[in-house]
Amino acid sequence: MHIDQQFLQRAVELAGENVAAGGRPFGAILVKDGQVVAEAVNEIHLSQDPTDHAELLTIRRASQQLGARLEGCVIYASGQPCPMCLAAMHLCGVSGAVYGAANEVGERFGLSTAAVYQQLALPLDKQTLNVRHLPQPAMAEIYGDWQARHAAC
């Protein structure tokens, strides 16, 4: 069996276990150098935190072991990562993602994030979320201070 299929099957297994425990059908694992570093399931039903997606929890757990940068790591997810999870993967440097169920499959069950992807593809002023830019000149100085402090390290 191909290694991607093995890891993806574990994510799917986690999703099934989570449904049996009263949660949503999402599981994820993070792998580096062929080794599972972390795994998680969607925990929204436990925490009431809408960001407790399996992929984000996996990233959080892996980061505790490997640090904030996760280059060379692959996430295997039972379902297509939502835009929030995909953005987190980009921000922490995950090298790849493999998922089992596409949004088209989840849509029949009310589990698609395709509408969010569509919104994010629009310019900010065209999205349904009211996002406004109020420039704060002090932020340039704060950014400069941050850069100076980190350049010295």
Side-chain angles (χ1 to χ4, degrees):
M1 179 183 305
H2 189 269
I3 194 76
D4 283 343
Q5 184 64 29
Q6 285 182 305
F7 289 134
L8 190 55
Q9 279 185 338
R10 176 61 184 149
V12 170
E13 181 180 296
L14 288 168
E17 291 171 3
N18 202 41
V19 168
R24 303 182 108 211
F26 301 107
I29 66 171
L30 185 136
V31 174
K32 181 168 186 160
D33 299 327
Q35 299 295 314
V36 175
V37 176
E39 59 182 40
V41 296
N42 182 297
E43 293 184 2
I44 293 172
H45 67 293
L46 299 174
S47 67
Q48 298 304 305
D49 179 343
T51 68
D52 273 354
H53 289 200
E55 298 91 337
L56 286 184
L57 292 171
T58 301
I59 288 169
R60 290 174 191 152
R61 291 173 186 163
S63 295
Q64 291 172 350
Q65 296 177 53
L66 303 175
R69 300 300 304 162
L70 298 175
E71 286 91 355
C73 295
V74 176
I75 288 188
Y76 294 86
S78 60
Q80 183 171 342
C82 75
M84 173 181 66
C85 293
L86 192 60
M89 291 178 207
H90 282 283
L91 289 169
C92 70
V94 166
S95 298
V98 179
Y99 64 92
N103 270 327
E104 294 78 17
V105 173
E107 188 170 22
R108 300 191 308 241
F109 306 97
L111 296 169
S112 173
T113 56
V116 180
Y117 274 104
Q118 289 170 352
Q119 280 294 305
L120 292 175
L122 298 172
L124 282 176
D125 64 345
K126 302 288 188 225
Q127 295 180 20
T128 57
L129 179 67
N130 181 14
V131 179
R132 298 181 306 136
H133 176 214
L134 295 174
Q136 299 295 304
M139 287 306 299
E141 183 177 334
I142 293 169
Y143 285 170
D145 183 32
W146 175 86
Q147 184 179 44
R149 292 171 188 267
H150 286 80
C153 295

